[in-house]
C-alpha cells in the first residue's frame, strides 16, 4: 500500500518536470521532433497496456458455465495468437518508420549559420567559435550563446574519456569520443536560458559537468560575439591592476589564456571574459567575486578531483586576483 502511495506521489511530482533542463520542455526543432516521437510511442504502448490489463480483468472476472462432461471447449487461443503477432508486427513497423522519419528531421539542417567546436574534458566544456570558413574566432568555457532561429553546428570532441553532449530542451544527446568527431546540428526556436549536461558517466565530477546555453535574438548575439572576440580589458582600479600582476607572476598564466596579456596556457579554460560568464566550474557556482575567490582559494574542496591545483596566495593577493577576474567582462 505504501509503495502504491509513493508511486502516485512520484507521478504527481514528475508531471511537473520541466524547466530549463527537460526534454519535455522542447524549445527547438530537434527536441520537438524527439518529443513528438516519444509521445507517440508512450501513448501507443500505454494504450496497449490498458487493453491487455482490461482483457486480463475481463478473463478473470467473467463467469463461465462449467463445460459438460466430454465437451471440447474452444478458447479461441489460435485466433488470439494470430491477432497478437499481426498487431505486434504492424506496431513495430510503424515505430521503425516513425523513428526513421524523426532521424531524418534531425539530420536535415546541414549548412549551419553558426559553427562551434565543443571539446569535453574532465570536467568542463571548451567551446571554440568559428566563422563560416572554419577560422577560429574566440574561445569560451561552459557557456554557449546562440541566436534564436538559426542552425548551430557543433563538432563534438573529447580530450580524455567519453562524454556526452546534451541540451534536453534543444536537442538529443550525442556522445563525445576521444579521437573521433561527431557532429550535432540544432536550433533554438525561442529565446531563453537552457541548461546542458554531460550525459555519459565520465568520472567523479560527472554530475558537475554542466553548461549554460543562452539563446538570444540576432542583435544581442552579435553584440555578445563582438565582446568575446575583443581581447581582455584591463579592469580599472588599483586592486584589479595588482590582481593582474599577481595572476601573471604565478602559475595561473601557465594554464589559462587571457588574450591581450602574456597568459597563454591552454590546459585550463580561457579566462579572457570570465567575468561575463554566468557560472564557474562547469555550472557548479554562479560567477561572483566571492565564488571566484573561493574557487582560487580551494578548488579541490569545491570540486574534488578536478585539474585546478591550489596556488598558494596571501589573502591580499586572493582579493586582488578575484577583483581582476571579476573585472574581465
Ligand atoms: Cu563528462 Cu560525464
Amino acid at each position: 500500500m505504501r509503495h502504491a502511495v509513493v508511486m502516485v506521489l512520484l507521478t504527481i511530482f514528475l508531471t511537473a518536470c520541466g524547466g530549463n533542463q527537460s526534454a519535455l520542455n522542447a524549445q527547438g526543432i530537434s527536441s520537438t521532433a524527439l518529443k513528438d516521437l516519444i509521445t507517440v510511442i508512450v501513448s501507443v504502448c500505454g494504450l496497449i497496456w490498458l487493453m491487455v490489463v482490461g482483457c486480463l480483468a475481463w478473463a478473470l472476472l467473467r463467469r463461465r458455465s462449467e463445460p459438460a462432461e466430454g465437451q471440447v471447449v474452444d478458447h479461441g487461443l489460435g485466433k488470439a495468437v494470430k491477432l497478437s503477432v499481426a498487431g505486434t508486427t504492424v506496431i513495430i513497423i510503424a515505430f521503425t518508420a516513425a523513428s526513421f522519419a524523426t532521424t531524418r528531421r534531425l539530420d536535415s539542417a546541414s549548412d549551419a549559420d553558426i559553427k562551434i567546436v565543443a571539446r569535453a574534458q574532465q570536467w568542463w566544456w571548451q567551446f571554440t567559435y568559428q566563422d563560416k570558413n572554419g577560422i577560429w574566432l574566440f574561445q569560451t568555457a561552459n557557456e554557449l550563446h546562440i541566436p534564436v532561429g538559426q542552425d548551430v553546428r557543433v563538432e563534438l570532441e573529447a580530450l580524455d574519456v567519453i562524454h556526452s553532449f546534451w541540451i534536453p530542451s534543444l536537442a538529443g544527446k550525442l556522445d563525445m569520443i576521444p579521437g573521433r568527431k561527431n557532429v550535432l546540428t540544432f536550433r533554438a526556436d525561442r529565446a531563453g536560458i537552457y541548461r546542458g549536461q554531460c550525459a555519459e558517466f565520465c568520472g567523479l565530477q560527472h554530475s558537475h559537468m554542466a553548461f549554460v546555453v543562452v539563446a538570444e535574438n540576432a542583435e544581442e548575439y552579435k553584440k555578445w560575439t563582438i565582446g568575446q572576440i575583443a581581447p581582455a580589458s584591463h579592469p580599472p582600479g588599483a586592486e584589479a591592476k595588482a590582481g593582474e600582476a599577481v595572476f601573471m607572476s604565478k602559475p595561473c598564466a601557465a594554464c589559462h589564456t587571457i588574450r591581450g596579456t602574456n597568459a597563454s596556457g591552454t590546459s585550463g579554460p580561457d579566462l579572457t571574459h570570465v567575468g561575463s560568464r554566468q557560472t564557474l566550474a562547469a555550472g557548479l557556482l554562479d560567477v561572483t567575486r566571492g565564488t571566484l575567490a573561493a574557487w582560487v582559494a580551494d578548488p579541490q574542496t569545491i570540486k574534488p578531483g578536478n585539474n585546478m591545483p591550489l596556488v598558494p596566495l596571501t589573502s591580499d593577493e586572493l582579493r586582488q586576483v578575484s577583483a581582476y577576474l571579476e573585472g574581465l567582462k
Side-chain angles (χ1 to χ4, degrees), residues 120-123 125 161-164 197-203 205-207 209:
Q121 44 206 297
Q122 289 172 319
W123 293 277
W125 308 84
V161 298
I162 299 177
H163 303 264
S164 185
Q197 167 68 42
C198 179
E200 178 86 33
F201 182 74
C202 55
Q205 296 294 339
H206 154 71
S207 63
M209 191 170 163

Side-chain angles (χ1 to χ4, degrees), residues 9-256:
L9 285 175
L10 265 182
T11 312
I12 291 169
F13 287 123
L14 288 175
T15 311
C17 273
N20 63 359
Q21 190 190 309
S22 168
L24 299 178
N25 174 29
Q27 301 291 348
I29 186 168
S30 306
S31 50
T32 304
L34 290 167
K35 187 183 161 192
D36 290 348
L37 178 68
I38 200 67
T39 304
V40 168
I41 291 178
V42 169
S43 305
V44 172
C45 291
L47 201 67
I48 293 169
W49 181 80
L50 280 176
M51 281 162 60
V52 170
V53 171
C55 289
L56 187 67
W58 176 73
L60 288 173
L61 297 177
R62 74 181 174 146
R63 300 177 76 90
R64 305 184 61 146
S65 50
E66 285 292 316
E69 186 91 8
Q71 183 189 353
V72 181
V73 183
D74 177 15
H75 290 288
L77 225 51
K79 225 195 288 179
V81 169
K82 274 185 212 160
L83 196 68
S84 303
V85 170
T88 307
T89 309
V90 168
I91 288 165
I92 287 175
I93 290 172
F95 280 179
T96 307
S99 299
F100 179 74
T102 302
T103 314
R104 297 281 297 192
R105 271 171 81 187
L106 297 183
D107 288 341
S108 60
S110 54
D111 196 23
D113 310 304
I114 312 296
K115 289 193 170 80
I116 300 164
V117 177
R119 181 180 273 189
Q121 44 206 297
Q122 289 172 319
W123 293 277
W124 62 281
W125 308 84
Q126 180 192 67
F127 297 122
T128 306
Y129 280 68
Q130 299 179 337
D131 72 3
K132 282 198 187 295
N133 302 316
I135 306 292
W136 199 100
L137 289 176
F138 60 88
Q139 214 163 57
T140 178
N142 311 317
E143 186 162 320
L144 280 179
H145 284 234
I146 56 171
V148 170
Q150 291 188 44
D151 289 332
V152 180
R153 178 193 150 96
V154 190
E155 288 181 10
L156 304 172
E157 298 174 357
L159 199 65
D160 34 38
V161 298
I162 299 177
H163 303 264
S164 185
F165 185 88
W166 193 31
I167 315 164
S169 293
L170 299 180
K173 63 182 81 157
L174 193 58
D175 276 358
M176 309 170 89
I177 301 163
R180 190 193 151 100
K181 191 196 288 174
N182 282 339
V183 177
L184 181 75
T185 308
F186 66 95
R187 192 179 81 197
D189 288 328
R190 215 160 301 163
I193 295 173
Y194 306 103
R195 192 174 189 271
Q197 167 68 42
C198 179
E200 178 86 33
F201 182 74
C202 55
L204 188 62
Q205 296 294 339
H206 154 71
S207 63
H208 292 145
M209 191 170 163
F211 59 100
V212 172
V213 184
V214 180
E216 53 203 356
N217 67 42
E219 208 171 296
E220 281 167 1
Y221 172 73
K222 195 164 178 210
K223 216 166 95 186
W224 178 80
T225 52
I226 290 169
Q228 296 291 314
I229 288 170
S233 56
H234 298 282
E239 205 172 29
K241 213 173 153 116
E244 182 172 354
V246 172
F247 190 98
M248 299 308 155
S249 67
K250 300 280 179 183
C252 321
C255 289
H256 296 280

